[in-house]
Amino acid sequence: MNLARRTWVNVFARLFGSLSGALAGVFLARGLSVTDFGFLSSTFALVGVATLASDLGVSQTTTRLVSRHPEKSAEIGWIGALQRGSLALLFTALSCLVILSQPVPVRIASIILAVSIIAAAGNVGQSLLLARLRPDLVAKAGLVQSLIWTLGAFSCWLLSGGPVVFAVFFLISQIAQSCVVLALSRDLLRAPRRALMLRLAKPIIASSVTVGVGALAWAAMQRLPIVFVTSTAGAQEGAFLGVAGRILDVLFIFPTVAAATLLPVLANRAGSAKQGDVQRRSLALMTALGAVLAFGASIGGGAAAVIMFGSDYVASAATVAVYSLVVLPFAVDCYWGTQLIAANRGSAMAWTGIVSALVSITLAIVLTPTWGAVGGAFAVLLAQSLRALCLWIAASDLRQRATRWDQGVSAILVVVAVGAVSFITDISHVLAVTPVLGILVAGISSVVFALIIMVLLQIRWREFLAVFGRGA
């Protein structure tokens, strides 16, 4: 299997993992009470941030260094494993301290979920496999985790298992993934040379922390508001934001995959005659994709939540509508972030992430007591829009590669998305009462809006093929 096929296998596995995770979330919501689902949604968010904090750039740094110095793969791999393992213990303990405020039955399940932070530490072997250009092996491990978690969640829902059983299946899926990864990468983790490990440890740890700050800050911006919502507005409001988060995770797949496909195109065409054409139209394409997803999902997201998660979540329509709008500034974020990474300016991702995370957490603390889950969703929307603006500023010397018209339309659409929150939430709530009609209206609206955006930004269908297909 050549590298291109291996890469597409990995992309497919990521798509499958995201979709199966969303499906597992459906089983979780239907198998638990709204209150229990709210507490576990908060814990999943906390565990997700803690898992990234325990990685703190280890994965990216390990992949980069092993690619450059394959003869030192064992030493680099063990340094990464020890660093991630020690941080995993620390953040598991801190997460458990936060979890202690939950009711006893859910508290036990949440502690089990927190242990998965330690179980995920074995995934440092993924970095070694990626460095050896074996993303297909990483994909296999991911598929194992997705299948165990989804089938386990389905079994729990079918057999009316409680929150503890759900948590146990999730922990098993994480342990299984780590075991598969370590088994596949065992040849790369041969006995290390201790003297070389000690010499390499300090620069590797310093480099990984610098790289990981941006990813951790972005996760904190997206995930931590639900923790504040659950603790201040109640578990039911946390459940509503958890449902919205599951839907948003599915929406995020499309701009994420588009940006991942666009990055090698920009990198491979650096300095070529075609580079300018690709860059000039990429913002229009990403903006159109994000806008159609955002406005379509915000109109029909409440109806989709009722169909997927049950009638108990009719009241989540407003939260889903606001949270779905986040995908538009996220798509713009993906464009400017991809431009900066392709230009070897990844440090901008760190400071913009920190700024947006602070804004998101601060707004969540201020808005949640009054507006509940809607306030938490609005905090993320404003913070994500601010991050897109910060990346636009950071890419000041790259902006000429996109036309002023495309930049202007992109900015106006983001402003409209933020300003239209009240109007869209009202529509979404009405349509959630009759979910089938809601989905139909959202589908028709999305098609009409897509045609308007394509005319406005002068996008032709063949441009999608040129940039994301044959042009790659």
Side-chain angles (χ1 to χ4, degrees):
M1 185 185 295
N2 59 33
L3 180 58
R5 290 186 178 181
R6 291 173 182 172
T7 302
W8 279 110
V9 167
N10 192 32
V11 170
F12 168 77
R14 289 177 60 186
L15 287 171
F16 179 81
S18 298
L19 292 173
S20 63
L23 183 60
V26 172
F27 297 138
L28 189 67
R30 286 184 171 273
L32 300 175
S33 67
V34 174
T35 301
D36 287 349
F37 179 69
F39 281 121
L40 287 192
S41 294
S42 176
T43 302
F44 270 113
L46 183 64
V47 167
V49 174
T51 300
L52 268 178
S54 67
D55 181 82
L56 203 60
V58 169
S59 299
Q60 299 96 319
T61 302
T62 301
T63 299
R64 177 170 55 85
L65 292 178
V66 172
S67 299
R68 293 180 179 179
H69 309 286
E71 74 282 359
K72 301 176 183 177
S73 61
E75 290 76 20
I76 296 170
W78 276 104
I79 291 171
L82 292 172
Q83 180 184 349
R84 182 160 180 177
S86 57
L87 287 174
L89 290 172
L90 172 63
F91 285 105
T92 299
L94 293 176
S95 298
C96 288
L97 290 177
V98 176
I99 288 167
L100 289 177
S101 61
Q102 296 181 356
V104 175
V106 184
R107 186 190 308 166
I108 297 172
S110 295
I111 290 174
I112 294 172
L113 290 177
V115 175
S116 68
I117 300 170
I118 300 173
N123 286 331
V124 72
Q126 291 183 359
S127 305
L128 300 175
L129 295 172
L130 290 173
R132 294 300 178 89
L133 303 180
R134 295 306 305 267
D136 55 314
L137 297 182
V138 175
K140 291 179 181 179
L143 288 173
V144 169
Q145 189 275 335
S146 298
L147 288 172
I148 292 176
W149 169 225
T150 305
L151 292 176
F154 174 72
S155 301
C156 289
W157 167 64
L158 201 62
L159 301 174
S160 301
V164 173
V165 183
F166 275 104
V168 168
F169 270 108
F170 182 78
L171 177 61
I172 291 173
S173 70
Q174 291 293 325
I175 293 173
Q177 182 181 20
S178 291
C179 289
V180 172
V181 167
L182 292 174
L184 293 173
S185 61
R186 65 184 183 279
D187 293 337
L188 303 175
L189 287 171
R190 59 186 181 278
R193 293 161 287 185
R194 295 184 180 179
L196 182 58
M197 277 185 63
L198 293 174
R199 192 163 65 250
L200 293 174
K202 186 176 180 179
I204 289 177
I205 293 173
S207 177
S208 66
V209 170
T210 302
V211 171
V213 166
L216 176 59
W218 183 87
M221 175 191 71
Q222 292 284 343
R223 303 300 184 190
L224 286 185
I226 192 175
V227 178
F228 295 106
V229 168
T230 304
S231 60
T232 58
Q236 184 175 16
E237 292 293 316
F240 293 162
L241 194 57
V243 164
R246 300 287 177 174
I247 293 175
L248 187 63
D249 286 342
V250 176
L251 297 177
F252 274 173
I253 295 172
F254 300 97
T256 300
V257 172
T261 308
L262 181 61
L263 179 59
V265 177
L266 293 175
N268 291 335
R269 290 183 175 177
S272 69
K274 295 182 178 180
Q275 181 185 16
D277 294 334
V278 173
Q279 290 173 326
R280 276 191 292 272
R281 301 308 296 150
S282 297
L283 178 59
L285 295 169
M286 294 295 288
T287 299
L289 179 63
V292 172
L293 288 171
F295 289 107
S298 63
I299 292 172
V306 173
I307 293 174
M308 293 169 61
F309 297 94
S311 58
D312 291 338
Y313 295 92
V314 172
S316 70
T319 305
V320 174
V322 176
Y323 219 25
S324 297
L325 292 173
V326 175
V327 76
L328 172 53
F330 175 73
V332 178
D333 177 316
C334 285
Y335 169 78
W336 292 115
T338 301
Q339 288 278 31
L340 288 166
I341 293 172
N344 197 25
R345 300 257 300 281
S347 59
M349 306 296 287
W351 71 262
T352 56
I354 293 172
V355 170
S356 58
L358 292 174
V359 170
S360 177
I361 294 170
T362 302
L363 287 176
I365 294 173
V366 172
L367 297 176
T368 294
T370 304
W371 300 103
V374 174
F378 191 63
V380 177
L381 175 60
L382 288 177
Q384 182 64 76
S385 300
L386 176 63
R387 175 174 158 112
L389 174 62
C390 290
L391 289 176
W392 179 80
I393 294 172
S396 57
D397 58 327
L398 304 175
R399 291 204 298 266
Q400 68 273 17
R401 297 174 184 175
T403 66
R404 290 183 178 180
W405 174 255
D406 292 336
Q407 293 182 60
V409 172
S410 174
I412 290 171
L413 285 172
V414 172
V415 172
V416 169
V418 175
V421 163
S422 179
F423 174 71
I424 289 178
T425 52
D426 290 340
I427 294 177
S428 178
H429 182 74
V430 171
L431 294 176
V433 179
T434 53
V436 176
L437 177 62
I439 295 296
L440 182 61
V441 171
I444 295 173
S445 302
S446 298
V447 172
V448 173
F449 189 68
L451 294 174
I452 294 173
I453 289 292
M454 291 181 70
V455 172
L456 191 63
L457 293 174
Q458 300 176 342
I459 297 174
R460 296 182 296 274
W461 285 111
R462 65 169 178 259
E463 288 187 291
F464 284 99
L465 296 176
V467 176
F468 300 118
R470 294 190 301 267

